[in-house]
Amino acid sequence: MAAAPSAVSVNGVKIGTTSQAYLESKAVKETKTLVSELCRQFYTLGWVSGTGGSITIKVHDDSIPKSEQLIIMSPSGVQKERMEPEDMYVISPDGSTLFTPSPKPYPHKPPKCSDCGPLFMKAYEMRDAGAVIHSHGIESCLVTMINPLSKEFRITHMEMIKGIKGHGYYDELVVPIIENTAYEYELTESLAKAIEAYPKTTAVLVRNHGIYVWGDTWISAKTQSECYHYLFDAALKLHQLGLDWTTPDHGPIQSVRGVPRTVCGSNVSAKAQKTNHEVEPLPRCILLDIEGTTTPISFVSEVLFPYARNNVGRHLSATYNTTDTQDDIKLLRSQVQSDLEQGVEGALPIPSDDAGKEEVIAALVANVEAMIKADRKITALKQLQGHIWRTGYENNELEGVVFDDVPEALEKWSALGIKVYIYSSGSRLAQRLIFGKTSHGDLRKYLSGFFDTTVGNKRETRSYVEISESLGVDKSSDIFFVTDVFQEATAAKAAGLEVVISIRPGNGPLPEKHGFKTVTSFSEI
């Protein structure tokens, strides 16, 4: 069946995307074959057994915008491991059926488009996906059942997290959980709300049911699905061993003053006893600034900045042809060009590569020195500084410094099941370096993630809203932010975070009647 054709160019020939010629084109046939092959593979993995689960892929064609590409979808209620290309449905971008497979003889059921169809379409519509996979894998079902009150699955410090788009080993992976219904199409609204509420997620779990995973391409969707299932399986096995997969050190599941602590991202807060026998809910997350909060300002101003400034030329010369340094130079060129157009003081033109390595480096050094002198909080500078400092730490020329009360507090919060994150104007690499090599050892095991200025300026409210959405907390007040900067505290408070200001030796003065609680040590938190 076909609708009114829209003209596109396929293999140099203009035809309609819904014409019979296009439905029989090589691209459509190859995608049908791919879906049937993946159905067989996913059956062996236990993702689509018992006729459950489904897969859908867009017909890729460079001449057609992704939003207008046709969709190949496996049928519902059939033996997925026996699927053939001709058994696949062809769906238009608006969700209407363009091709229905022919019925097979008894005892096969008549063909039926996947009940997941409306949910697939939401992922395509809201995330511009290239493929969506729905798995009934037992791992994705069981992790939603350990804590029936949990609204999220959370895990950190596992290598396979790197296989999820936008995540690294030290990041916390958060997957929203929605409640199951009798019919899959009834999940459409709750899935859409979860996609909207968790802008960085590439999957949604359905309690007692399975998972929906999407990617920019079928390879991305498949890779991420494999990583999700691995992480779910790891979480289940850690739970069986009495270990907590939601904390960086994966230590024993703890109790807080006799109250068992839940895992799997429960939205039920643990309780801590106060000395007057009142009960106070613990924050779900603590967000820490570095300079003037965990680390003396003097370490940054008198050690790190001078080291970066004094080693710019040496670093650029020694690493000039590396990928990292070429990326740094590209970013600096873009920043300097913008500075020149805006008349920023200290900005100097950077010659083209044809001028030679030495002249390029000399111009870069001059610009970087001006940026450091002005204490500019810009990504181009922070990224380069991070790479320079990395070399310093590797050569044992630098060692991270934190206040003496910080390690004990981090260990305590970790034992209580509180996730701790860092938000600093320094790059995420620079942050990891400070905590990765200190006189107290590697403190990264207590940290669930790192945020830098790529999420926004630290003095802007929107940045803290973005962090709240990324962490997936039920409400912004579940995050407790500690900083030494009044403007940052004000911005975070406006976003709904709980805020306290850190008073440390060397910190700048605060406005009178600033209105915030203050602490001089993390032991007071």
Side-chain angles (χ1 to χ4, degrees), residues 86-116:
E86 60 267 22
D87 297 325
M88 302 300 155
Y89 280 81
V90 181
I91 309 298
S92 71
D94 65 6
S96 58
T97 302
L98 302 178
F99 174 81
T100 300
S102 301
K104 290 187 174 182
Y106 178 85
H108 294 278
K109 294 180 179 179
K112 177 185 176 184
C113 198
S114 176
D115 292 334
C116 312

Side-chain angles (χ1 to χ4, degrees), residues 246-268:
T246 70
T247 57
D249 61 357
H250 301 146
I253 296 174
Q254 303 287 334
S255 295
V256 181
R257 305 278 182 126
V259 179
R261 190 173 65 78
T262 58
V263 292
C264 207
S266 170
N267 62 344
V268 180

Side-chain angles (χ1 to χ4, degrees), residues 100-376:
T100 300
S102 301
K104 290 187 174 182
Y106 178 85
H108 294 278
K109 294 180 179 179
K112 177 185 176 184
C113 198
S114 176
D115 292 334
C116 312
L119 288 88
F120 289 144
M121 299 308 297
K122 279 296 179 184
Y124 282 126
E125 172 192 340
M126 299 179 70
R127 291 298 173 85
D128 195 29
V132 187
I133 294 171
H134 175 41
S135 164
H136 282 192
I138 188 64
E139 308 95 332
S140 61
C141 182
L142 292 179
V143 292
T144 69
M145 301 170 68
I146 293 176
N147 184 349
L149 296 176
S150 64
K151 300 298 182 184
E152 301 161 343
F153 169 83
R154 290 172 172 265
I155 192 168
T156 187
H157 286 63
M158 291 287 288
E159 180 68 13
M160 292 295 270
I161 293 176
K162 291 162 62 175
I164 306 300
K165 181 180 178 181
H167 290 77
Y169 171 77
Y170 294 106
D171 294 326
E172 182 181 43
L173 175 67
V174 182
V175 186
I177 301 173
I178 62 176
E179 300 304 319
N180 196 26
T181 58
Y183 301 98
E184 287 194 77
Y185 67 85
E186 295 176 344
L187 294 168
T188 306
E189 183 178 353
S190 55
L191 180 128
K193 288 181 178 179
I195 292 176
E196 183 176 5
Y198 294 77
K200 293 188 177 181
T201 191
T202 56
V204 173
L205 282 159
V206 183
R207 196 181 313 279
N208 305 349
H209 182 146
I211 188 171
Y212 288 85
V213 182
W214 55 87
D216 297 332
T217 65
W218 71 267
I219 292 177
S220 173
K222 175 178 177 290
T223 300
Q224 291 184 98
S225 294
E226 292 169 350
C227 292
Y228 279 118
H229 283 79
Y230 175 97
L231 292 167
F232 298 153
D233 185 46
L236 292 169
K237 289 176 179 175
L238 286 169
H239 183 71
Q240 290 171 341
L241 294 170
L243 302 178
D244 186 354
W245 68 83
T246 70
T247 57
D249 61 357
H250 301 146
I253 296 174
Q254 303 287 334
S255 295
V256 181
R257 305 278 182 126
V259 179
R261 190 173 65 78
T262 58
V263 292
C264 207
S266 170
N267 62 344
V268 180
S269 297
K271 304 290 181 179
Q273 299 289 338
K274 298 172 71 176
T275 56
N276 59 1
H277 302 295
E278 293 179 2
V279 176
E280 181 179 278
L282 293 171
R284 285 191 52 186
C285 307
I286 292 179
L287 183 66
L288 300 174
D289 173 48
I290 292 180
E291 188 178 1
T293 301
T294 67
T295 300
I297 289 178
S298 59
F299 173 69
V300 179
S301 61
E302 299 174 13
V303 178
L304 289 184
F305 282 176
Y307 184 90
R309 182 176 59 249
N310 296 335
N311 287 279
V312 174
R314 184 181 74 166
H315 172 81
L316 291 175
S317 180
T319 63
Y320 190 79
N321 294 317
T322 65
T323 300
D324 281 348
T325 295
Q326 285 301 309
D327 286 344
D328 292 343
I329 293 174
K330 181 179 179 181
L331 202 57
L332 285 165
R333 283 186 184 278
S334 176
Q335 182 64 56
V336 170
Q337 182 60 39
S338 174
D339 290 348
L340 290 169
E341 293 171 358
Q342 297 177 31
V344 175
E345 184 179 355
L348 298 172
I350 300 175
S352 67
D353 292 337
D354 295 337
K357 172 181 173 181
E358 298 306 321
E359 287 197 28
V360 172
I361 290 177
L364 288 168
V365 170
N367 279 284
V368 169
E369 287 179 345
M371 292 174 180
I372 293 176
K373 183 178 180 180
D375 192 22
R376 298 183 64 187

